[in-house]
Amino acid sequence: MKDNRKRGRAGMRERAAVLAEEPLCRLCLEKGLEVASDVVDHIMPLAWGGSDERHNKQALCTPCHDAKSKTERKLAQRRKIADFD
Ligand SMILES: [Zn+2]
């Protein structure tokens, strides 16, 4: 699988920059909750062709990120059956 995620120092700096720009979890904010963000998420996953650019990144709290990842894994499994192979 192609992984165009930035590695090493550049990636770390970008992660810190996103968290500094968005100190609160985006998904919690939509629900009116103020929860500190601690994960930088790719809105469109890299594995699905999402870009590693800033516009495709959002800051989330760990529970929101875990829930999003779970949903994406389920969708990916379904898509694999429907669209691939
Ligand atoms: Zn959250």
Side-chain angles (χ1 to χ4, degrees):
M1 189 186 292
K2 192 172 159 247
D3 185 359
N4 52 357
R5 191 189 298 266
K6 290 195 187 81
R7 305 267 178 212
R9 255 186 234 169
M12 293 282 287
R13 225 186 358 255
E14 270 193 35
R15 180 181 173 279
V18 173
L19 291 177
E21 271 174 48
E22 301 182 26
L24 298 175
C25 169
R26 244 196 231 186
L27 294 178
C28 285
L29 268 184
E30 282 173 13
K31 290 180 262 179
L33 302 169
E34 293 193 357
V35 178
S37 58
D38 48 18
V39 183
V40 174
D41 175 57
H42 288 89
I43 297 167
M44 172 65 82
L46 294 178
W48 297 2
S51 86
D52 201 29
E53 302 300 320
R54 176 66 184 89
H55 65 82
N56 190 40
K57 290 177 184 173
Q58 62 183 348
L60 300 179
C61 66
T62 301
C64 283
H65 183 251
D66 287 351
K68 183 173 181 282
S69 299
K70 238 181 242 173
T71 305
E72 285 166 359
R73 266 199 299 275
K74 269 189 211 155
L75 283 173
Q77 281 168 355
R78 258 184 245 155
R79 282 159 61 123
K80 232 178 233 168
I81 295 162
D83 298 333
F84 306 111
D85 295 326

